[in-house]
């Protein structure tokens, strides 16, 4: 048994122990592992603490569908002891226990990451492209933005465009009142790219995104247009800063925020990290809402009022730090996010599998097979890869 397989097996035993469903042979194997070292006993203690914390209402709610949570919560209220609580918990969330234990193990054992991918459900490892994109100048010329090639050129208005590594910067020499010249940056599947605007604002584009912007801000306002998922750190300036999407117009009153506005998703999200934002519909600014840090605006259409909710912003900005984090996400939605980054063909063998809810985390530099292995360990689905195709099926029966 490989080290990665052993860790997943031990995670299964620890979850089963808390569920009170550990067989005698499994208990013997778990005790042997615990007796191997003090480190193993410490890991066991930490995982049990993590499972207990995950079982609390404010954490489990992130993983469980709302309708199941109502049943689950009512059962908890009648629990008179921790043992009884976990027996009830096991009945309604056994897969969650295993998932939390497995993810906890893998996060704290980074050395098994590569091995886990190599021992995935198939030999077809799928890796991301990484940094890259393409720049379209105002005259229509297209310049590839590969991570290796640096360059410096001058825009029609005299602005210096300089690319170094995975960032492109605009250094303006334009006088106020000059006609604005626009460039556009695009990223494809598996690509992300950074941009520093002429005012010093920092922008990061996620996969399948774009931003149209003046090479130099010379008017009475700063305004850019985006599609896809884009992160902003707006530089302080006397000129107001606006971001336009297909569904919203955002006035930046503060600094750091994230917009997710993909054309193939019905809902647009704006998440504020620092400062403040005014979020409204482009043709119905009277409906604008003021966003505070740690809150997120949900926009569907001008006919539907913008809703606001408090969120853990780190879940939505994890990709900027090179991670995927999913909590209580529909499998179809998880696959949509992963597909933008890894660019694979996808096949669901059964429609019902799209609505399964899971949580997981993955380093964006690693092969996607790692997260599939963790999902398979829940025994809710079976995911395999064949070259660049990902197939999602019902879980395999033991011995198949």
């Amino acid at each position: 048994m490989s080290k990665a397989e052993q860790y997943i097996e031990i995670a299964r035993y620890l979850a089963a122990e808390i569920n009170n469903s550990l067989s005698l042979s499994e208990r013997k194997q778990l005790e042997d592992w615990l007796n191997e070292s003090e480190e193993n006993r410490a890991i066991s203690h930490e995982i049990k603490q993590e499972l207990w914390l995950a079982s609390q209402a404010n954490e489990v709610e992130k993983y469980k569908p709302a309708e199941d949570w109502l049943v689950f919560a009512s059962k908890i209220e009648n629990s008179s002891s921790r043992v009884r609580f976990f027996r009830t918990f096991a009945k309604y969330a056994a897969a969650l226990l295993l998932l939390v234990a497995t993810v906890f193990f893998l996060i704290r054992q980074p050395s098994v990451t590569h091995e886990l991918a190599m021992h995935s459900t198939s030999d077809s490892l799928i890796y991301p492209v990484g940094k890259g994109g393409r720049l379209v100048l105002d005259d229509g010329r297209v310049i590839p933005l590969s991570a290796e090639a640096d360059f410096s050129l001058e825009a029609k208005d005299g602005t210096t465009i300089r690319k170094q590594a995975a960032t492109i910067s605009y250094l303006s020499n334009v006088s106020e009142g000059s006609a604005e010249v626009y460039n556009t940056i695009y990223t494809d599947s598996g690509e992300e790219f950074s941009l520093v605007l002429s005012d010093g604002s920092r922008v990061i584009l996620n996969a399948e995104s774009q931003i149209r912007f003046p090479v130099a801000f010379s008017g009475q306002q700063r305004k850019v247009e985006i599609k896809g998922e884009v992160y902003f750190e707006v530089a302080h300036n006397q000129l107001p800063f606006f971001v336009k999407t297909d569904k919203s117009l955002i006035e930046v009153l503060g600094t750091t925020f994230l917009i997710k506005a993909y054309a193939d998703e019905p809902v647009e999200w704006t998440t504020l990290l620092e400062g403040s934002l005014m979020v409204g519909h482009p043709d119905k600014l009277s409906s604008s809402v003021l966003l505070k840090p740690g809150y997120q605006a949900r926009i569907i259409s001008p006919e539907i009022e913008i809703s606001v909710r408090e969120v853990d912003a780190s879940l939505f900005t994890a990709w900027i730090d090179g991670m995927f984090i999913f909590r209580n996400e529909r499998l179809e939605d998880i696959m949509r996010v992963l597909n933008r980054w890894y660019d694979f063909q996808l096949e669901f063998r059964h429609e019902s599998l799209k609505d399964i809810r899971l949580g997981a985390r993955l380093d964006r530099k690693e092969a996607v097979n790692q997260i599939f292995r963790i999902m398979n360990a829940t025994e809710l689905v079976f995911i395999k890869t064949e070259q660049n195709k990902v197939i999602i099926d019902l879980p395999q029966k033991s011995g198949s």
Side-chain angles (χ1 to χ4, degrees):
M1 180 184 294
S2 71
K3 185 177 292 187
E5 290 171 327
Q6 182 190 31
Y7 284 151
I8 290 178
E9 196 68 13
I10 294 299
R12 186 186 300 276
Y13 293 162
L14 290 170
E17 183 182 40
I18 291 177
N19 287 344
N20 198 28
S21 60
L22 196 64
S23 69
L24 291 177
S25 62
E26 290 172 339
R27 183 174 299 280
K28 176 64 168 57
Q29 293 180 62
L30 178 58
E31 289 175 352
D32 289 345
W33 178 80
L34 291 171
N35 290 331
E36 284 180 6
S37 69
E38 181 64 34
E39 181 185 12
N40 288 354
R41 291 189 288 275
I43 290 173
S44 171
H45 176 73
E46 285 188 74
I47 289 180
K48 289 177 181 178
Q49 289 296 111
E50 187 83 1
L51 291 173
W52 169 249
L53 291 172
S55 67
Q56 303 306 300
N58 64 342
E59 184 69 16
V60 174
E61 188 173 15
K62 299 173 184 175
Y63 288 85
K64 293 292 293 175
E67 60 271 21
D68 290 347
W69 171 246
L70 295 176
V71 177
F72 180 60
S74 67
K75 296 289 183 182
I76 293 174
E77 291 174 0
N78 298 323
S79 298
S80 58
S81 69
R82 181 166 173 153
V83 172
R84 184 179 174 188
F85 170 84
F86 272 118
R87 286 174 180 169
T88 303
F89 183 79
K91 181 178 179 181
Y92 290 93
L96 170 61
L97 282 170
L98 175 58
L99 185 63
V100 171
T102 304
V103 171
F104 181 94
F105 237 127
L106 295 174
I107 291 170
R108 284 155 179 76
Q109 301 292 335
S111 62
V112 306
T113 296
H114 180 69
E115 180 183 347
L116 185 63
M118 293 300 293
H119 289 83
S120 189
T121 56
S122 154
D123 291 332
S124 304
L125 300 182
I126 302 175
Y127 286 94
V129 175
K131 308 293 184 180
R134 64 188 190 277
L135 168 66
V136 180
L137 302 177
D138 66 299
D139 59 7
R141 282 183 294 161
V142 179
I143 301 177
L145 300 175
S146 62
E148 298 80 15
D150 293 345
F151 63 79
S152 180
L153 56 88
E154 188 174 289
K156 185 167 60 177
D157 66 354
T159 298
T160 300
I161 305 172
R162 183 175 300 154
K163 180 191 172 296
Q164 292 181 304
T167 301
I168 192 166
S169 303
Y170 284 73
L171 307 175
S172 175
N173 298 312
V174 178
S175 59
E176 185 176 344
S178 301
E180 290 184 329
V181 176
Y182 284 83
N183 283 184
T184 305
I185 291 179
Y186 298 85
T187 55
D188 292 326
S189 299
E191 295 179 334
E192 69 175 49
F193 206 79
S194 298
L195 163 69
V196 178
L197 297 169
S198 63
D199 66 342
S201 296
R202 179 172 174 250
V203 179
I204 305 176
L205 280 73
N206 203 352
E208 296 183 7
S209 301
Q210 66 183 70
I211 179 170
R212 182 176 181 269
F213 56 96
V215 299
F217 296 107
S218 58
Q220 297 304 307
Q221 65 179 21
R222 298 172 290 168
K223 186 175 182 179
V224 300
E225 300 176 17
I226 69 117
K227 291 183 179 180
E229 190 166 18
V230 183
Y231 168 86
F232 287 88
E233 292 179 3
V234 175
H236 290 285
N237 191 306
Q238 292 181 344
L239 298 178
F241 193 104
F242 294 91
V243 181
K244 186 180 183 304
T245 74
D246 288 341
K247 295 180 180 178
S248 67
L249 181 64
I250 298 165
E251 182 178 1
V252 181
L253 307 174
T255 315
T256 308
F257 59 99
L258 175 72
I259 303 174
K260 188 176 183 181
Y262 285 105
D264 62 347
E265 295 186 13
V267 179
E268 178 181 307
W269 305 96
T270 298
T271 308
L272 181 63
L273 283 72
E274 297 178 9
S276 59
L277 295 175
M278 189 68 74
V279 182
H281 297 293
D283 303 321
K284 195 179 178 182
L285 294 179
S286 60
S287 65
S288 297
V289 298
L290 181 65
L291 216 56
K292 298 185 297 183
Y295 283 79
Q296 183 181 71
R298 177 177 182 266
I299 303 173
I300 299 177
S301 71
E303 291 71 36
I304 300 177
E305 185 176 353
I306 298 172
S307 61
V308 176
R309 63 175 182 170
E310 188 173 10
V311 297
D312 180 353
S314 65
L315 298 179
F316 300 90
T317 60
W319 64 271
I320 298 166
D321 298 319
M323 297 294 298
F324 288 111
I325 301 179
F326 303 105
R327 285 186 179 173
N328 190 30
E329 301 280 351
R330 292 176 63 251
L331 185 55
E332 183 180 30
D333 296 333
I334 292 174
M335 288 299 164
R336 182 185 294 115
V337 172
L338 294 177
N339 199 9
R340 286 198 183 103
W341 188 240
Y342 291 96
D343 193 23
F344 48 74
Q345 299 178 43
L346 180 62
E347 177 185 347
F348 278 92
R349 291 281 172 87
H350 301 271
E351 284 294 312
S352 61
L353 296 173
K354 294 180 178 180
D355 291 322
I356 289 175
R357 291 183 175 269
L358 292 171
R361 64 184 287 156
L362 172 70
D363 188 322
R364 278 161 61 99
K365 298 188 297 295
E366 299 296 333
V368 72
N369 307 65
Q370 175 189 348
I371 202 170
F372 294 161
R373 179 63 179 268
I374 296 173
M375 290 178 177
N376 286 345
T378 68
E379 299 183 352
L380 296 174
V381 295
F382 179 71
I383 305 175
K384 64 179 180 179
T385 59
E386 295 178 355
Q387 296 183 345
N388 198 49
K389 186 175 185 179
V390 174
I391 300 171
I392 302 177
D393 206 344
L394 296 171
Q396 292 185 326
K397 295 181 180 179
S398 299
S400 62

